Amino acid sequence: MRVVAFVDGFNLYHAIDDLGKNHLKWVNLRKLCKHFAPTPQFELREIYYFSACATWRPAAYKRHREYVRALCNAGVTPAMGRFKEKDRHCFNCGSRWKDHEEKETDFNLALYIMLEAVKGSFDRLLLISGDSDLAPAIRTMRREFPDKSVRIISPVGRRYSMDLLNAAGGKHHGKQMKPTHLERSLFNRKVTDTSGQLVSIRPKKYDPPRTLS
């Protein structure tokens, strides 16, 4: 069975961040997805990673770029949105400040789901997200392509989105990600290509506890 995976990057990132285990952010999404589409029953054909870079935060931006390079080396395709600067205003105290709002990521994810379905590139769609805003895309895809199945993978530590599960076909179409799935799917500290050339190196902030090193 051919599988294409779609990873909601921020949804997964914030779920891991809530665990307080930064080393799990250095996760190889190809290895992670294989836990939910194991061979030989499944052929994991493509993995798409949807996110956006916080360019105004230099340290975070640098870590994100290192991570995206590692993902690309693992055969993961990034589809990057952007952040838009937005004015904020407190009506109580009158304070004003600049904030940033993520744009395009949900739209990109929904668009890629439909494009891959139209191309006929998968028999099963694997979605790592708990964002109920994606439910309409899943419902539409299943209505137009009833021969294709969906599995919703709830990010670690998060409850299922019932809207997503219902769109996918019910509770039996969902699986819960566990910390062990992440622990078994981490990149090495140094990520190299097939020729041995250094591609990316794990940011210091993502170093594992000494007991795991």
Side-chain angles (χ1 to χ4, degrees):
M1 181 177 287
R2 301 169 304 155
V3 177
V4 173
F6 302 82
V7 182
D8 185 340
F10 275 113
N11 208 261
L12 178 59
Y13 174 90
H14 288 297
I16 297 173
D17 194 53
D18 287 346
L19 291 180
K21 297 181 178 181
N22 283 332
H23 69 286
L24 298 182
K25 296 174 182 176
W26 194 237
V27 58
N28 183 333
L29 295 180
R30 180 161 293 278
K31 287 184 177 180
L32 179 64
C33 290
K34 283 184 177 180
H35 288 295
F36 304 104
T39 53
Q41 182 183 358
F42 299 99
E43 178 191 356
L44 185 58
R45 286 199 160 189
E46 191 79 53
I47 303 168
Y48 292 102
Y49 167 75
F50 299 86
S51 189
C53 289
T55 55
W56 71 98
R57 299 171 57 195
Y61 184 30
K62 183 179 179 180
R63 289 194 298 271
H64 203 164
R65 284 181 294 168
E66 288 286 344
Y67 183 56
V68 170
R69 282 196 291 269
L71 289 179
C72 290
N73 190 65
V76 176
T77 301
M80 306 301 286
R82 62 187 177 89
F83 281 94
K84 182 180 180 181
E85 193 172 74
K86 190 171 185 178
D87 292 321
R88 298 289 188 183
H89 176 222
C90 177
F91 291 100
N92 291 325
C93 68
S95 297
R96 295 179 180 274
W97 67 95
K98 296 289 186 181
D99 200 358
H100 294 82
E101 184 177 48
E102 182 190 352
K103 306 292 288 186
E104 299 179 6
T105 302
D106 286 353
F107 178 81
N108 282 341
L109 219 164
L111 180 62
Y112 272 65
I113 286 173
M114 293 307 300
L115 285 174
E116 291 299 311
V118 169
K119 286 161 57 179
S121 60
F122 65 84
D123 305 302
R124 172 170 290 181
L125 181 157
L126 196 69
L127 174 61
I128 297 179
S129 181
D131 188 350
S132 60
D133 287 345
L134 298 172
I138 297 299
R139 277 197 300 271
T140 301
M141 192 281 295
R142 290 189 64 239
R143 184 180 67 242
E144 298 300 320
F145 303 94
D147 59 318
K148 300 184 185 303
S149 65
V150 178
R151 288 297 180 272
I152 305 296
I153 311 302
S154 180
V156 61
R158 296 290 174 87
R159 292 182 178 180
Y160 289 116
S161 163
M162 292 309 301
D163 286 343
L164 275 180
L165 283 183
N166 290 334
K171 290 184 178 181
H172 62 288
H173 288 269
K175 289 184 178 295
Q176 179 69 55
M177 185 186 300
K178 299 177 181 179
T180 52
H181 293 135
L182 296 164
E183 295 280 4
R184 297 170 183 169
S185 305
L186 299 179
F187 284 113
N188 293 329
R189 177 176 175 269
K190 292 184 178 180
V191 178
T192 57
D193 62 19
T194 54
S195 67
Q197 293 295 309
L198 182 66
V199 171
S200 183
I201 188 165
R202 185 177 64 213
K204 185 72 175 175
K205 188 173 182 179
Y206 297 165
D207 282 348
R210 291 187 178 182
T211 54
L212 299 178
S213 58

